[in-house]
Amino acid sequence: MASHRKSRPSGTRVAGIRTPALATAALTSVALLSQTANAAPSTDDKPSLEEVEKKVDDLYRQAESATDKYNAAQENTVKQRKRVDTLLDDVAQRTQRLNEAREELGSFAAAQYRTGASAPDTATFLLADSPQDYFDQSQLMGRLTNRQKGAVDDYVTEQSATMAKRQEATQSLQKLTESQSDLKTSKATVQKKLADARALLSQLTAEEKARLAAIEQKKQQEAAAKAAELARQQAAEQKAQEEAAAQQEASSGTSGSSSSTATDSSTTDSSYATKAEKALAFARAQIGKPYVWGATGPESYDCSGLTQAAWKAAGVDIPRVTYDQVNAGTTVSLSAAQPGDLVFFYDDISHVGLYIGNGMMIHAPKPGAYVREESIYYDGESSIYSVVRPA
């Protein structure tokens, strides 16, 4: 699953796909409570089935979005901390050079004092607000040797650069503080949403939990049937494309242009397939590991942490969070999806899985679940947002 609020991404949506289906927990609560509601009117303050349905679904979806915000805030914090460290190191080095330039100027002033030359001018120079203010006076500039003038120029340049870097470091420290605050807020939000959802679901009886398992099994069967349907569709389209390519090749004879185009296309497909195989091999090796929000491995993952790690194993770097990953490649139609493609879910793009073919994917589903293979229709066809080819 997928961390701070950000404007909605501009990723292209698959045609005909819209708002997500309800979360499993919400469906369970609806089924369980509906029978009670139909049997007799509620005589206590227990929420209605519609209220439970909406509340549980909202909590899990809010937790998904908050997890993405947490991931983004964490990434920004790490980057900002590295920048601050680099700036502080630079400031320290510049301060050292500034001190060395100041010492050299001091040696010139001491030499002038010992020889009795221009003592008043030297004292005035050392007490001035800035060296350049004083050296703008042509009478003193004329007395300085080329070496002394070079030392003064170096001092003035280094002083200006050091002040600028100190200011930049101060601003970066402020941004780091803001990133850390965002990180803390997002973490608290995720924990609160998940705790609220667990509290609602803990009210289920043993009988209700058994019926929950039955509902889940039925959903999986329906999703598997949809996946098989997509697999047949993709196989038919692939066969048609191969037949069309063969006919075109036969009709064009030995055309150099056609041959070159076909070769380039084949090379591109082969290159992607090779990388995709590596990404899928990595993902399969993670099956059975727990979903943990904000995790990037190796012992646990959230949804975008898994897809990022899988493609990194194939030598391809993609962003950390779902709403950045959706823009990190070429959007393709669902029927054209190939193994290795990223499948995104829901209007807020809060979930992602790695397509393995035949309507199936590997993903880290949700809290309490484990990395697994599952139909891309696990939450209904309407939950699918888009498919993206990252390499």
Side-chain angles (χ1 to χ4, degrees):
M1 291 172 62
S3 17
H4 55 269
R5 181 149 310 259
K6 178 174 181 178
S7 60
R8 181 170 166 178
S10 58
T12 304
R13 181 187 175 97
V14 171
I17 294 177
R18 51 191 180 79
T19 319
L22 297 172
T24 299
L27 286 171
T28 304
S29 299
V30 170
L32 298 174
L33 294 175
S34 62
Q35 295 187 3
T36 302
N38 292 333
S42 176
T43 57
D44 55 22
D45 294 331
K46 192 172 185 178
S48 68
L49 88 91
E50 291 83 4
E51 291 172 338
V52 172
E53 176 185 59
K54 186 177 187 305
K55 185 64 175 177
V56 174
D57 186 52
D58 286 348
L59 286 170
Y60 272 117
R61 293 297 306 284
Q62 290 166 15
E64 285 180 321
S65 296
T67 296
D68 232 0
K69 294 182 181 69
Y70 172 85
N71 291 337
Q74 186 177 47
E75 188 175 40
N76 288 339
T77 297
V78 171
K79 290 180 179 179
Q80 201 61 40
R81 181 176 289 112
K82 289 181 179 179
R83 176 165 177 75
V84 167
D85 290 343
T86 298
L87 285 171
L88 291 177
D89 287 343
D90 189 23
V91 168
Q93 294 173 6
R94 290 179 181 278
T95 300
Q96 177 62 31
R97 292 196 295 268
L98 185 63
N99 290 336
E100 291 172 356
R102 185 181 290 113
E103 289 177 0
E104 186 174 9
L105 288 177
S107 67
F108 292 150
Q112 285 182 325
Y113 179 77
R114 285 194 300 271
T115 59
S118 304
D121 288 337
T122 300
T124 302
F125 163 69
L126 292 176
L127 293 174
D129 290 337
S130 71
Q132 193 60 49
D133 287 344
Y134 183 73
F135 287 127
D136 281 341
Q137 302 176 42
S138 59
Q139 62 272 26
L140 181 59
M141 295 293 286
R143 298 191 187 106
L144 295 175
T145 65
N146 289 336
R147 181 184 174 189
Q148 290 171 324
K149 180 60 170 60
V152 171
D153 289 343
D154 290 345
Y155 177 86
V156 172
T157 299
E158 201 62 54
Q159 185 184 49
S160 176
T162 300
M163 291 177 64
K165 284 296 180 182
R166 283 175 177 167
Q167 184 177 8
E168 187 177 354
T170 299
Q171 294 173 347
S172 292
L173 282 170
Q174 177 62 33
K175 290 181 180 178
L176 175 58
T177 300
E178 293 173 357
S179 295
Q180 290 172 328
S181 177
D182 290 342
L183 185 63
K184 183 178 180 181
T185 300
S186 297
K187 181 177 181 178
T189 300
V190 174
Q191 292 175 331
K192 178 65 165 58
K193 300 302 181 184
L194 293 179
D196 289 346
R198 284 194 294 268
L200 284 175
L201 296 176
S202 67
Q203 300 173 14
L204 297 176
T205 65
E207 179 184 357
E208 290 171 335
K209 290 178 181 178
R211 291 164 63 190
L212 167 61
I215 291 174
E216 180 66 22
Q217 184 177 13
K218 183 178 179 181
K219 283 187 61 181
Q220 290 177 351
Q221 291 172 349
E222 293 173 349
K226 287 288 293 181
E229 181 183 341
L230 176 61
R232 288 192 295 270
Q233 178 187 351
Q234 289 178 326
E237 290 183 359
Q238 178 65 26
K239 183 179 179 180
Q241 290 174 1
E242 290 174 355
E243 290 176 350
Q247 290 177 356
Q248 182 179 4
E249 184 177 353
S251 63
S252 62
T254 57
S255 171
S257 176
S258 298
S259 176
S260 175
T261 301
T263 300
D264 291 343
S265 176
S266 176
T267 300
T268 300
D269 291 346
S270 176
S271 175
Y272 179 76
T274 299
K275 294 176 182 177
E277 286 178 5
K278 294 179 180 179
L280 290 172
F282 178 91
R284 286 192 177 95
Q286 313 313 310
I287 290 177
K289 294 183 178 180
Y291 172 95
V292 174
W293 64 271
T296 57
E299 301 302 325
S300 58
Y301 296 88
D302 65 14
C303 67
S304 58
L306 176 63
T307 52
Q308 182 189 46
W311 270 105
K312 184 176 182 180
V316 178
D317 289 327
I318 62 175
R320 172 65 180 93
V321 295
T322 54
Y323 52 68
D324 288 332
Q325 289 183 5
V326 76
N327 293 317
T330 303
T331 299
V332 299
S333 66
L334 184 59
S335 62
Q338 296 180 11
D341 290 350
L342 302 177
V343 184
F344 294 90
F345 297 84
Y346 311 124
D347 281 350
D348 59 357
I349 316 177
S350 56
H351 190 64
V352 63
L354 192 67
Y355 191 65
I356 62 176
N358 296 323
M360 303 292 288
M361 67 177 174
I362 297 175
H363 69 148
K366 59 185 178 181
Y370 298 83
V371 175
R372 65 194 184 202
E373 289 188 12
E374 192 165 26
S375 168
I376 62 173
Y377 298 104
Y378 80 107
D379 204 11
E381 184 174 2
S382 61
S383 68
I384 302 174
Y385 180 84
S386 68
V387 180
V388 171
R389 190 158 300 153

